[in-house]
Structure formats: C-alpha cells, structure tokens
C-alpha cells in the first residue's frame, strides 16, 4: 500500500481516538493514537480488507487472544509476535458489539408508536436489542422498572435532556425477530466470550449489563434469522409479523458496514415500503441526507424515524438529546 493509503488508516485510528474512545476508554484512546503513529502496525492493517481495519476489531482481537494489555508496549509486542493469530481472528470475527444499552435511546420512540409492536431488527447479532420490554431504565428524572422475571434484568442508565419524551411504561412487544449475516447464539460460551471482549476495558457496568442481557436472551431466545438486509430475506421476515401489531424495522450501528451509499439508500426505501415505521440509530455519515441541516456533534449517533431526525444519542446508550419538535 502506498503512503496515502497508510495515512488514511492512520487518520481512521486518530478519528476513533478523538470521537469514540475519548472520555470512554483511556486505554483504547492511547492505543489507537499509538497505532496511528506505528509504521509496522499500519503495514499489518494495510494487508487486511478495508472493513477489517476497524480500531474496535484490532483492539478486541488482541485482548481476546492475550488479555487486556497494560499499555502500548505490551499491546505492540503481543501483536507483532502473533500477527498470524491476530489476522486469523480479525478475518473470522466482526464487531457485533450488540450493545443492549442502546435500548434506552430507542425506548422513547418505541413507546410512542401505536401498540402493540412487532419488532424486526437488522444486524441483530445475538438479539439483545430485540428485548427493550424486558429491561429496566433509569433516566435520572424517571425510572422504568423491568417486568418481574426469575432473572435479574439489567438497568440501563441514560442521561436524557428535558425535552426528551420519556415513556411512562414499557412498550408492548408481541412479536420479535432479527436478521444478521452471522447470528450469535447467546447460549454459546465461545460466542459470548467474543461479545464480552468487545466491551471496552474500563466499562465494568456496561459489561455487567451485557452479561445480564445475555442471560435473558439465552432464556427467551429471541428469533434470529441468518440473512442479508439487502434483498428478499428482510421481505420474508417482515411478511411473518402479525398483522394486528405495528411493524417496526430498526437498527443501530449496522449500516456503517454497508459501504455502498446506494445500497444504504435502497435499504431505507425498502424498509419504509415494508413497514410503517423505520427507526435508524447510526452515525450521521451513514445517511447524510437525514443529517443535512443539523450540526453533527462528534461521536454521536443520529436517531431518526422514517427519515426524520429526532435525537442525538450516545453510541452505547448513555445519553439522549432530543431534537425533534414537540410531538415529533
């Protein structure tokens, strides 16, 4: 790869440090900045397909194989001494973070829709975000209890601004199904271990909530279908939803991995054709037409409904800034 290509990879890691890791993971911020300046590591990344050069994937792969490093020196030594093993894992795995805390930012939208709901999530991973009605939520000025169950549910804390329409109760979900190219089985210890590695090192509360959500998923076993969001798989899944429930197609942090803007737009058109409600929670660059005319706060997702922006959200569900007009 030429110098320009290496500079693009370096800039990607600096951008990750600046907009995603800063304030959330001091270790990942430091490692990403060091990667951006290390020629040998950049050369290694240049041999991978573009979608496999993600900072999250590299950092998780090294941690998964060798444990959490104390710093850059330990990380670099583990990587360069085991390039083949790291490469194999990065090619095999993907960053299916499946952060259930994002349900805290989806809940105000889902609770306002005509009930009951039939949920279809694309890029669902283990289906943890398909169960927003089985978790507890703490928005500071309002708390919503999870339904009584044998398992201890996670409680997601989310800082919401004053205009956010916080729900009075959980949504009523009568049917749920997910679509993913590589579904994860919440009862498979090997697959669960990878999901746990994807949680950033310092985020112990987030890891505890993930584990609690995985236990619920292993019991409830939400339906997850192997398939591609681009094409007939989504059509088939939506056709199976009950007709007397409001069908909602939603996704969080998924469409960024569909590299062709035309494919993303085609998916959006299909989603709005198949369902009365399409809920997108993605970086604003995914659908720039939706984000047009708004100021893009760094490191935030844009939550939209049927192509209209409603809120800026933290990528892991920790905050919600409602921007839609009252009633929007």
């Amino acid at each position: 790869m030429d110098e320009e290509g290496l500079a693009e990879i370096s800039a990607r890691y600096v951008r990750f440090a600046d907009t995603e890791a800063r304030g959330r993971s001091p270790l990942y911020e430091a490692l990403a900045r060091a990667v951006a300046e290390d020629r040998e590591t950049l050369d290694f990344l240049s041999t991978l397909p573009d979608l496999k050069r993600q900072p999250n994937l590299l950092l998780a792969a090294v941690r998964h194989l060798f444990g959490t490093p104390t710093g850059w020196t330990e990380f670099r030594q583990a990587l360069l001494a085991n390039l083949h093993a790291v490469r194999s894992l990065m090619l095999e795995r993907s960053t299916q973070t499946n952060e259930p805390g994002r349900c805290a930012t989806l809940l105000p939208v889902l609770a306002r829709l005509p009930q009951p709901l039939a949920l279809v999530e694309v890029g669902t991973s283990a289906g943890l975000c398909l169960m927003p009605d089985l978790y507890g939520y703490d928005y500071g000025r309002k708390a919503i209890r999870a339904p009584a169950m044998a398992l201890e549910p996670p409680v997601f804390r989310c800082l919401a601004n004053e205009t956010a329409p916080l729900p009075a109760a959980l949504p009523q979900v009568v049917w749920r199904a997910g679509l993913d190219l590589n579904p994860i089985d919440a009862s498979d210890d090997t697959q669960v271990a990878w999901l746990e590695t994807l949680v950033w090192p310092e985020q112990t509360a987030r890891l505890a909530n993930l584990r609690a959500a995985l236990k619920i998923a292993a019991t409830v076993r939400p339906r997850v279908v192997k398939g591609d969001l681009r094409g007939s798989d989504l059509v088939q899944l939506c056709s199976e939803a009950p007709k007397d429930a409001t069908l909602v197609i939603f996704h969080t942090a998924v469409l960024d991995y569909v590299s062709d803007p035309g494919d993303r737009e085609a998916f959006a058109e299909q989603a709005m054709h198949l369902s009365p409600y399409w809920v997108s929670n993605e970086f604003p660059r995914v659908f720039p037409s939706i984000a047009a005319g708004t100021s893009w706060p760094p490191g935030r997702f844009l939550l939209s409904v049927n192509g209209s922006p409603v809120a800026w959200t933290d990528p892991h569900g920790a905050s919600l800034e409602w921007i839609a007009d009252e009633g929007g």
Side-chain angles (χ1 to χ4, degrees):
M1 178 176 287
D2 60 20
E3 294 300 319
E4 183 178 353
L6 293 176
E8 288 178 2
I9 299 174
S10 175
R12 186 174 188 175
Y13 277 73
V14 171
R15 186 165 57 248
F16 172 83
D18 286 344
T19 65
E20 297 186 50
R22 179 184 290 175
R24 298 187 181 96
S25 173
L27 178 61
Y28 271 15
E29 180 182 358
L31 292 179
R33 294 192 191 284
V35 168
E37 297 178 358
D38 187 75
R39 178 60 182 251
E40 284 186 83
T41 304
L42 293 175
D43 283 339
F44 164 71
L45 290 167
S46 73
T47 66
L48 296 168
D50 182 68
L51 284 177
K52 296 296 184 176
R53 297 172 188 158
Q54 306 157 38
N56 265 334
L57 186 57
L58 173 66
L59 299 173
V62 174
R63 283 182 65 215
H64 191 70
L65 291 169
F66 311 109
T68 300
T70 57
W72 169 242
T73 299
E74 186 177 330
F75 177 92
R76 186 176 188 274
Q77 288 175 347
L79 170 64
L80 296 182
N82 300 277
L83 290 177
H84 179 73
V86 175
R87 176 197 303 278
S88 296
L89 186 60
M90 291 178 72
L91 291 175
E92 175 190 354
R93 299 287 190 175
S94 60
T95 54
Q96 294 172 283
T97 305
N98 206 190
E99 173 52 62
R102 292 169 182 152
C103 288
T105 56
L106 297 172
L107 198 73
V109 168
L110 297 177
R112 302 177 92 200
L113 302 181
Q115 306 291 309
L117 304 180
L119 301 181
V120 171
E121 182 186 17
V122 298
T124 193
S125 189
L128 303 188
C129 288
L130 275 171
M131 306 182 296
D133 55 323
L134 302 181
Y135 304 141
Y137 303 88
D138 182 356
Y139 292 99
R141 67 181 188 274
K142 178 178 286 189
I144 303 171
R145 294 172 62 91
M149 64 179 74
L151 295 169
E152 184 70 24
V155 177
F156 299 118
R157 288 170 172 79
C158 178
L159 181 63
N161 64 351
E162 289 296 324
T163 58
L166 300 182
L170 294 167
Q172 182 186 0
V173 181
V174 295
W175 186 89
R176 66 192 92 216
L179 187 70
D180 200 284
L181 284 172
N182 298 290
I184 286 180
D185 184 349
S187 64
D188 184 310
D189 290 343
T190 300
Q191 296 184 57
V192 164
W194 174 247
L195 279 185
E196 292 181 355
T197 305
L198 289 170
V199 176
W200 298 357
E202 302 89 348
Q203 298 177 334
T204 54
R206 186 179 160 213
L207 179 59
N209 280 335
L210 173 69
R211 287 172 171 165
L214 283 164
K215 288 180 181 178
I216 294 174
T219 301
V220 174
R221 301 195 67 83
R223 184 181 176 205
V224 178
V225 176
K226 183 178 178 65
D228 196 325
L229 61 85
R230 296 164 290 190
S232 61
D233 295 324
L234 179 61
V235 177
Q236 175 60 38
L237 198 58
C238 289
S239 72
E240 299 174 25
K243 305 307 179 188
D244 56 352
T246 300
L247 179 60
V248 183
I249 296 175
F250 74 100
H251 50 89
T252 72
V254 172
L255 270 293
D256 209 19
Y257 300 107
V258 178
S259 58
D260 186 341
D263 284 347
R264 295 198 292 264
E265 292 297 333
F267 162 77
E269 289 183 16
Q270 183 181 56
M272 286 192 285
H273 174 73
L274 292 171
S275 168
Y277 295 100
W278 164 51
V279 179
S280 169
N281 190 35
E282 303 278 355
F283 280 120
R285 62 176 177 262
V286 170
F287 292 110
S289 59
I290 296 176
T294 63
S295 177
W296 298 8
R300 290 292 184 267
F301 286 172
L302 180 59
L303 180 64
S304 64
V305 179
N306 291 341
S308 296
V310 297
W312 293 108
T313 70
D314 176 81
H316 300 144
S319 65
L320 171 70
E321 181 186 355
W322 197 262
I323 59 174
D325 294 335
E326 182 64 28

